[in-house]
Short mmCIF file of all heavy atoms in Angstrom, two decimals:
data_model
loop_
_atom_site.label_atom_id
_atom_site.label_comp_id
_atom_site.label_asym_id
_atom_site.label_seq_id
_atom_site.Cartn_x
_atom_site.Cartn_y
_atom_site.Cartn_z
N LEU A 19 111.05 125.14 89.17
CA LEU A 19 110.36 124.11 89.94
C LEU A 19 108.86 124.31 89.92
O LEU A 19 108.11 123.37 89.61
CB LEU A 19 110.88 124.10 91.38
CG LEU A 19 110.22 123.11 92.35
CD1 LEU A 19 110.31 121.69 91.81
CD2 LEU A 19 110.87 123.21 93.72
N LEU A 20 108.38 125.50 90.25
CA LEU A 20 106.95 125.76 90.33
C LEU A 20 106.44 126.69 89.24
O LEU A 20 105.24 126.68 88.94
CB LEU A 20 106.59 126.38 91.70
CG LEU A 20 106.89 125.51 92.92
CD1 LEU A 20 106.45 126.23 94.19
CD2 LEU A 20 106.20 124.15 92.82
N GLY A 21 107.30 127.48 88.66
CA GLY A 21 106.84 128.44 87.67
C GLY A 21 106.10 129.59 88.35
O GLY A 21 106.17 129.78 89.56
N GLY A 22 105.37 130.37 87.55
CA GLY A 22 104.66 131.51 88.10
C GLY A 22 105.38 132.81 87.82
O GLY A 22 106.24 132.90 86.92
N TRP A 23 105.06 133.83 88.60
CA TRP A 23 105.57 135.17 88.33
C TRP A 23 106.21 135.75 89.57
O TRP A 23 105.76 135.51 90.70
CB TRP A 23 104.44 136.06 87.86
CG TRP A 23 104.84 137.49 87.59
CD1 TRP A 23 105.41 137.98 86.46
CD2 TRP A 23 104.69 138.61 88.47
NE1 TRP A 23 105.64 139.33 86.57
CE2 TRP A 23 105.20 139.75 87.80
CE3 TRP A 23 104.19 138.76 89.77
CZ2 TRP A 23 105.21 141.02 88.37
CZ3 TRP A 23 104.20 140.02 90.35
CH2 TRP A 23 104.70 141.14 89.66
N MET A 24 107.26 136.52 89.38
CA MET A 24 107.90 137.30 90.43
C MET A 24 108.24 138.68 89.90
O MET A 24 108.51 138.82 88.69
CB MET A 24 109.17 136.61 90.94
CG MET A 24 108.93 135.46 91.89
SD MET A 24 110.46 134.85 92.62
CE MET A 24 109.82 133.69 93.82
N PRO A 25 108.24 139.69 90.74
CA PRO A 25 108.56 141.05 90.26
C PRO A 25 110.00 141.16 89.79
O PRO A 25 110.86 140.34 90.15
CB PRO A 25 108.29 141.92 91.50
CG PRO A 25 108.43 140.99 92.66
CD PRO A 25 107.94 139.66 92.18
N PHE A 26 110.24 142.18 88.97
CA PHE A 26 111.58 142.48 88.45
C PHE A 26 112.15 141.33 87.62
O PHE A 26 113.37 141.19 87.50
CB PHE A 26 112.55 142.83 89.58
CG PHE A 26 112.03 143.86 90.54
CD1 PHE A 26 111.72 143.51 91.84
CD2 PHE A 26 111.81 145.17 90.12
CE1 PHE A 26 111.22 144.45 92.73
CE2 PHE A 26 111.32 146.12 91.01
CZ PHE A 26 111.02 145.77 92.32
N ASN A 27 111.23 140.48 87.11
CA ASN A 27 111.64 139.37 86.23
C ASN A 27 112.64 138.43 86.91
O ASN A 27 113.55 137.89 86.27
CB ASN A 27 112.24 139.93 84.94
CG ASN A 27 112.08 138.99 83.77
OD1 ASN A 27 111.17 138.16 83.75
ND2 ASN A 27 112.97 139.10 82.79
N LEU A 28 112.46 138.25 88.22
CA LEU A 28 113.42 137.44 88.99
C LEU A 28 113.45 135.99 88.52
O LEU A 28 114.51 135.35 88.55
CB LEU A 28 113.06 137.50 90.48
CG LEU A 28 113.25 138.85 91.18
CD1 LEU A 28 112.83 138.74 92.64
CD2 LEU A 28 114.70 139.30 91.09
N ARG A 29 112.30 135.46 88.12
CA ARG A 29 112.25 134.04 87.73
C ARG A 29 113.06 133.75 86.48
O ARG A 29 113.51 132.63 86.29
CB ARG A 29 110.81 133.59 87.54
CG ARG A 29 110.08 133.29 88.83
CD ARG A 29 108.92 132.34 88.63
NE ARG A 29 108.31 131.99 89.90
CZ ARG A 29 108.70 130.98 90.66
NH1 ARG A 29 109.73 130.24 90.27
NH2 ARG A 29 108.09 130.71 91.78
N ARG A 30 113.24 134.73 85.64
CA ARG A 30 113.98 134.51 84.38
C ARG A 30 115.42 135.00 84.46
O ARG A 30 116.17 134.86 83.52
CB ARG A 30 113.25 135.19 83.23
CG ARG A 30 111.88 134.58 82.95
CD ARG A 30 111.18 135.31 81.82
NE ARG A 30 111.94 135.23 80.57
CZ ARG A 30 111.92 134.19 79.75
NH1 ARG A 30 111.19 133.12 80.04
NH2 ARG A 30 112.62 134.20 78.64
N ASN A 31 115.78 135.55 85.63
CA ASN A 31 117.13 136.07 85.80
C ASN A 31 118.03 134.99 86.40
O ASN A 31 117.82 134.54 87.52
CB ASN A 31 117.11 137.28 86.74
CG ASN A 31 118.43 138.04 86.75
OD1 ASN A 31 119.50 137.47 86.53
ND2 ASN A 31 118.36 139.33 87.02
N PRO A 32 119.06 134.52 85.67
CA PRO A 32 119.90 133.42 86.16
C PRO A 32 120.67 133.77 87.43
O PRO A 32 121.04 132.88 88.19
CB PRO A 32 120.85 133.13 85.00
CG PRO A 32 120.78 134.32 84.12
CD PRO A 32 119.45 134.94 84.31
N ARG A 33 120.90 135.08 87.68
CA ARG A 33 121.62 135.46 88.90
C ARG A 33 120.84 135.12 90.16
O ARG A 33 121.43 134.88 91.22
CB ARG A 33 121.94 136.95 88.86
CG ARG A 33 122.98 137.36 87.84
CD ARG A 33 123.28 138.84 87.92
NE ARG A 33 124.35 139.22 87.01
CZ ARG A 33 124.17 139.54 85.74
NH1 ARG A 33 122.94 139.50 85.24
NH2 ARG A 33 125.20 139.87 84.97
N PHE A 34 119.51 135.12 90.05
CA PHE A 34 118.66 134.85 91.21
C PHE A 34 118.08 133.44 91.20
O PHE A 34 117.20 133.13 92.00
CB PHE A 34 117.51 135.88 91.26
CG PHE A 34 117.97 137.28 91.51
CD1 PHE A 34 118.18 138.15 90.45
CD2 PHE A 34 118.20 137.74 92.80
CE1 PHE A 34 118.61 139.44 90.66
CE2 PHE A 34 118.63 139.03 93.02
CZ PHE A 34 118.83 139.88 91.96
N TYR A 35 118.57 132.60 90.29
CA TYR A 35 118.00 131.25 90.18
C TYR A 35 118.11 130.46 91.50
O TYR A 35 117.12 129.84 91.91
CB TYR A 35 118.68 130.48 89.05
CG TYR A 35 118.09 129.11 88.83
CD1 TYR A 35 116.93 128.94 88.10
CD2 TYR A 35 118.70 127.97 89.38
CE1 TYR A 35 116.37 127.68 87.91
CE2 TYR A 35 118.15 126.71 89.19
CZ TYR A 35 116.99 126.57 88.46
OH TYR A 35 116.44 125.33 88.29
N PRO A 36 119.25 130.45 92.20
CA PRO A 36 119.32 129.68 93.46
C PRO A 36 118.31 130.15 94.50
O PRO A 36 117.67 129.33 95.17
CB PRO A 36 120.76 129.91 93.93
CG PRO A 36 121.52 130.25 92.70
CD PRO A 36 120.57 131.04 91.86
N LEU A 37 118.13 131.47 94.62
CA LEU A 37 117.18 132.00 95.61
C LEU A 37 115.74 131.64 95.23
O LEU A 37 114.94 131.27 96.09
CB LEU A 37 117.35 133.51 95.74
CG LEU A 37 118.67 134.01 96.34
CD1 LEU A 37 118.71 135.53 96.35
CD2 LEU A 37 118.84 133.46 97.75
N VAL A 38 115.42 131.78 93.95
CA VAL A 38 114.08 131.43 93.49
C VAL A 38 113.82 129.94 93.68
O VAL A 38 112.73 129.53 94.10
CB VAL A 38 113.90 131.83 92.01
CG1 VAL A 38 112.56 131.31 91.47
CG2 VAL A 38 113.98 133.34 91.86
N TRP A 39 114.83 129.13 93.37
CA TRP A 39 114.68 127.68 93.55
C TRP A 39 114.46 127.33 95.03
O TRP A 39 113.61 126.49 95.35
CB TRP A 39 115.91 126.97 93.01
CG TRP A 39 115.85 125.47 93.12
CD1 TRP A 39 115.17 124.60 92.31
CD2 TRP A 39 116.48 124.66 94.12
NE1 TRP A 39 115.34 123.30 92.73
CE2 TRP A 39 116.14 123.31 93.86
CE3 TRP A 39 117.30 124.95 95.22
CZ2 TRP A 39 116.59 122.27 94.64
CZ3 TRP A 39 117.75 123.90 96.00
CH2 TRP A 39 117.39 122.57 95.72
N LEU A 40 115.19 127.96 95.94
CA LEU A 40 115.01 127.72 97.37
C LEU A 40 113.61 128.14 97.83
O LEU A 40 112.99 127.47 98.67
CB LEU A 40 116.08 128.45 98.18
CG LEU A 40 117.49 127.88 98.10
CD1 LEU A 40 118.47 128.78 98.84
CD2 LEU A 40 117.53 126.46 98.70
N PHE A 41 113.11 129.25 97.29
CA PHE A 41 111.74 129.67 97.62
C PHE A 41 110.74 128.63 97.14
O PHE A 41 109.79 128.28 97.86
CB PHE A 41 111.44 131.02 96.98
CG PHE A 41 110.01 131.46 97.13
CD1 PHE A 41 109.56 131.96 98.34
CD2 PHE A 41 109.13 131.38 96.07
CE1 PHE A 41 108.23 132.36 98.49
CE2 PHE A 41 107.81 131.77 96.20
CZ PHE A 41 107.35 132.26 97.42
N ASP A 42 110.93 128.12 95.93
CA ASP A 42 110.03 127.09 95.39
C ASP A 42 110.10 125.81 96.23
O ASP A 42 109.08 125.15 96.46
CB ASP A 42 110.39 126.79 93.94
CG ASP A 42 109.94 127.89 93.00
OD1 ASP A 42 109.21 128.79 93.44
OD2 ASP A 42 110.34 127.85 91.81
N VAL A 43 111.30 125.44 96.66
CA VAL A 43 111.45 124.25 97.50
C VAL A 43 110.71 124.45 98.82
O VAL A 43 110.03 123.53 99.32
CB VAL A 43 112.95 123.95 97.75
CG1 VAL A 43 113.10 122.88 98.85
CG2 VAL A 43 113.61 123.48 96.48
N SER A 44 110.79 125.65 99.40
CA SER A 44 110.08 125.94 100.65
C SER A 44 108.58 125.82 100.45
O SER A 44 107.87 125.24 101.29
CB SER A 44 110.44 127.34 101.14
OG SER A 44 111.82 127.47 101.38
N CYS A 45 108.06 126.36 99.34
CA CYS A 45 106.63 126.26 99.06
C CYS A 45 106.22 124.80 98.82
O CYS A 45 105.14 124.38 99.25
CB CYS A 45 106.27 127.11 97.84
SG CYS A 45 106.42 128.89 98.11
N THR A 46 107.08 124.04 98.15
CA THR A 46 106.79 122.63 97.92
C THR A 46 106.74 121.85 99.23
O THR A 46 105.83 121.04 99.46
CB THR A 46 107.86 122.02 96.99
OG1 THR A 46 107.89 122.74 95.76
CG2 THR A 46 107.56 120.55 96.72
N ALA A 47 107.73 122.09 100.11
CA ALA A 47 107.74 121.43 101.42
C ALA A 47 106.51 121.79 102.22
O ALA A 47 105.93 120.94 102.92
CB ALA A 47 109.01 121.82 102.18
N CYS A 48 106.07 123.05 102.12
CA CYS A 48 104.86 123.49 102.82
C CYS A 48 103.64 122.73 102.32
O CYS A 48 102.84 122.22 103.11
CB CYS A 48 104.68 124.99 102.62
SG CYS A 48 103.11 125.65 103.21
N GLY A 49 103.48 122.63 100.99
CA GLY A 49 102.34 121.92 100.43
C GLY A 49 102.34 120.45 100.77
O GLY A 49 101.30 119.88 101.12
N VAL A 50 103.50 119.81 100.67
CA VAL A 50 103.60 118.38 100.99
C VAL A 50 103.32 118.15 102.48
O VAL A 50 102.68 117.16 102.86
CB VAL A 50 104.99 117.83 100.60
CG1 VAL A 50 105.15 116.39 101.06
CG2 VAL A 50 105.18 117.92 99.09
N SER A 51 103.78 119.06 103.33
CA SER A 51 103.51 118.94 104.77
C SER A 51 102.02 119.06 105.06
O SER A 51 101.48 118.32 105.89
CB SER A 51 104.29 120.00 105.54
OG SER A 51 104.07 119.87 106.93
N PHE A 52 101.35 120.00 104.37
CA PHE A 52 99.89 120.09 104.49
C PHE A 52 99.25 118.75 104.13
O PHE A 52 98.38 118.24 104.84
CB PHE A 52 99.35 121.17 103.55
CG PHE A 52 99.39 122.56 104.11
CD1 PHE A 52 99.54 123.65 103.27
CD2 PHE A 52 99.24 122.80 105.46
CE1 PHE A 52 99.56 124.94 103.77
CE2 PHE A 52 99.27 124.09 105.98
CZ PHE A 52 99.43 125.16 105.13
N PHE A 53 99.68 118.22 103.01
CA PHE A 53 99.10 116.97 102.50
C PHE A 53 99.34 115.82 103.47
O PHE A 53 98.43 115.03 103.76
CB PHE A 53 99.71 116.65 101.14
CG PHE A 53 99.04 115.52 100.42
CD1 PHE A 53 97.88 115.73 99.71
CD2 PHE A 53 99.56 114.24 100.45
CE1 PHE A 53 97.25 114.69 99.05
CE2 PHE A 53 98.96 113.19 99.80
CZ PHE A 53 97.79 113.42 99.09
N MET A 54 100.57 115.70 103.98
CA MET A 54 100.91 114.62 104.90
C MET A 54 100.13 114.73 106.21
O MET A 54 99.67 113.72 106.77
CB MET A 54 102.41 114.62 105.18
CG MET A 54 103.26 114.15 104.02
SD MET A 54 103.03 112.39 103.70
CE MET A 54 104.25 112.13 102.41
N THR A 55 100.01 115.95 106.74
CA THR A 55 99.27 116.14 107.98
C THR A 55 97.81 115.78 107.82
O THR A 55 97.22 115.08 108.65
CB THR A 55 99.40 117.61 108.45
OG1 THR A 55 100.79 117.95 108.58
CG2 THR A 55 98.72 117.81 109.78
N PHE A 56 97.21 116.27 106.74
CA PHE A 56 95.81 115.95 106.44
C PHE A 56 95.63 114.45 106.31
O PHE A 56 94.71 113.86 106.89
CB PHE A 56 95.40 116.66 105.15
CG PHE A 56 93.99 116.36 104.70
CD1 PHE A 56 92.97 117.24 105.00
CD2 PHE A 56 93.70 115.22 103.95
CE1 PHE A 56 91.67 116.98 104.57
CE2 PHE A 56 92.42 114.95 103.53
CZ PHE A 56 91.39 115.85 103.84
N ASP A 57 96.51 113.83 105.54
CA ASP A 57 96.41 112.40 105.28
C ASP A 57 96.54 111.58 106.56
O ASP A 57 95.77 110.65 106.79
CB ASP A 57 97.48 112.00 104.27
CG ASP A 57 97.52 110.50 104.00
OD1 ASP A 57 96.66 110.01 103.28
OD2 ASP A 57 98.43 109.84 104.54
N ASN A 58 97.50 111.94 107.41
CA ASN A 58 97.72 111.18 108.64
C ASN A 58 96.52 111.30 109.58
O ASN A 58 96.05 110.30 110.13
CB ASN A 58 98.99 111.64 109.34
CG ASN A 58 99.37 110.75 110.49
OD1 ASN A 58 99.48 109.54 110.36
ND2 ASN A 58 99.56 111.34 111.67
N LEU A 59 96.02 112.52 109.77
CA LEU A 59 94.87 112.72 110.65
C LEU A 59 93.65 111.98 110.12
O LEU A 59 92.93 111.32 110.88
CB LEU A 59 94.56 114.21 110.79
CG LEU A 59 95.53 115.03 111.63
CD1 LEU A 59 95.25 116.52 111.50
CD2 LEU A 59 95.46 114.61 113.10
N PHE A 60 93.42 112.08 108.82
CA PHE A 60 92.26 111.42 108.22
C PHE A 60 92.31 109.91 108.43
O PHE A 60 91.33 109.29 108.82
CB PHE A 60 92.21 111.75 106.72
CG PHE A 60 91.11 111.04 105.98
CD1 PHE A 60 89.82 111.53 106.01
CD2 PHE A 60 91.37 109.89 105.25
CE1 PHE A 60 88.80 110.89 105.33
CE2 PHE A 60 90.36 109.24 104.57
CZ PHE A 60 89.07 109.74 104.60
N ASN A 61 93.47 109.32 108.19
CA ASN A 61 93.59 107.86 108.28
C ASN A 61 93.63 107.36 109.73
O ASN A 61 93.08 106.30 110.02
CB ASN A 61 94.83 107.40 107.53
CG ASN A 61 94.64 107.43 106.02
OD1 ASN A 61 94.01 106.55 105.45
ND2 ASN A 61 95.16 108.46 105.38
#
């Protein structure tokens, strides 16, 4: 989802793919929430 690097080669290990994907989803939700809050206050 986001790419980047994780220790122990976790991002390329298929056994940890669901956990890595959930972490990426959490980071995405955080960024979008920042954007929405900023946008709403500004407007």
Side-chain angles (χ1 to χ4, degrees):
L19 177 56
L20 298 182
W23 178 82
M24 282 188 173
F26 310 112
N27 207 25
L28 292 179
R29 281 203 175 273
R30 295 179 60 81
N31 191 332
R33 290 183 175 86
F34 294 95
Y35 183 81
L37 293 178
V38 173
W39 181 79
L40 287 174
F41 174 76
D42 286 350
V43 169
S44 300
C45 292
T46 302
C48 171
V50 174
S51 182
F52 275 150
F53 189 81
M54 288 291 185
T55 304
F56 178 97
D57 176 76
N58 189 53
L59 287 170
F60 176 81
N61 285 282

